[in-house]
Amino acid sequence: MATVEKLSALCSNDTLKEICDQIIASEKPWQANNFSFVRALKQSEKPEGVDLMRDETGALTAVKRATRATMSMYRNELSILRELTHRGFPYTVEVLDLFYDDTFS
């Protein structure tokens, strides 16, 4: 069984959909001046990838760039990560925010 399927068993589909709806409803416009690029963590042939950035408080943050079409494939994963953080699971990444601009979500 795939990891996502195992983690999905922790929550009902209704719970995952509710969490996903909350994440999408809290989308914020991307403001590049709030982050400074440190280095690429994962390059992609597509216009997507993961960058290490420093936020306005000085904290290092991984920022995943993905198109809206690609992000729709990650909805369950984002919901699971948010729920694991909410439950206090210590070995996960915390989904801080979802940002969008004309290209990425």
Side-chain angles (χ1 to χ4, degrees):
M1 185 184 298
T3 302
V4 171
E5 291 168 344
K6 289 179 187 176
L7 293 174
S8 293
L10 293 172
C11 303
S12 69
N13 284 335
D14 289 340
T15 301
L16 291 176
K17 183 180 180 333
E18 183 180 318
I19 295 166
C20 182
D21 290 346
Q22 290 170 2
I23 292 170
I24 291 170
S26 67
E27 273 188 335
K28 300 174 185 172
W30 174 255
Q31 296 188 13
N33 58 336
N34 291 344
F35 296 87
S36 59
F37 179 82
V38 176
R39 67 180 174 93
L41 294 175
K42 180 181 179 201
Q43 293 291 346
S44 175
E45 293 179 13
K46 301 174 185 176
E48 301 175 1
V50 180
D51 295 328
L52 181 63
M53 302 189 94
R54 192 171 302 279
D55 70 14
E56 63 227 358
T57 69
L60 291 173
T61 305
V63 176
K64 178 168 181 58
R65 289 176 283 112
T67 62
R68 287 192 178 272
T70 302
M71 283 305 296
S72 67
M73 296 186 310
Y74 293 116
R75 287 186 176 156
N76 271 355
E77 288 86 341
L78 285 172
S79 300
I80 290 167
L81 289 171
R82 177 70 58 91
E83 182 62 16
L84 288 172
T85 299
H86 175 75
R87 292 181 183 205
F89 188 76
Y91 306 108
T92 186
V93 297
E94 182 179 359
V95 178
L96 298 174
D97 284 306
L98 182 63
F99 296 98
Y100 66 90
D101 66 9
D102 292 338
T103 307
F104 298 107
S105 185

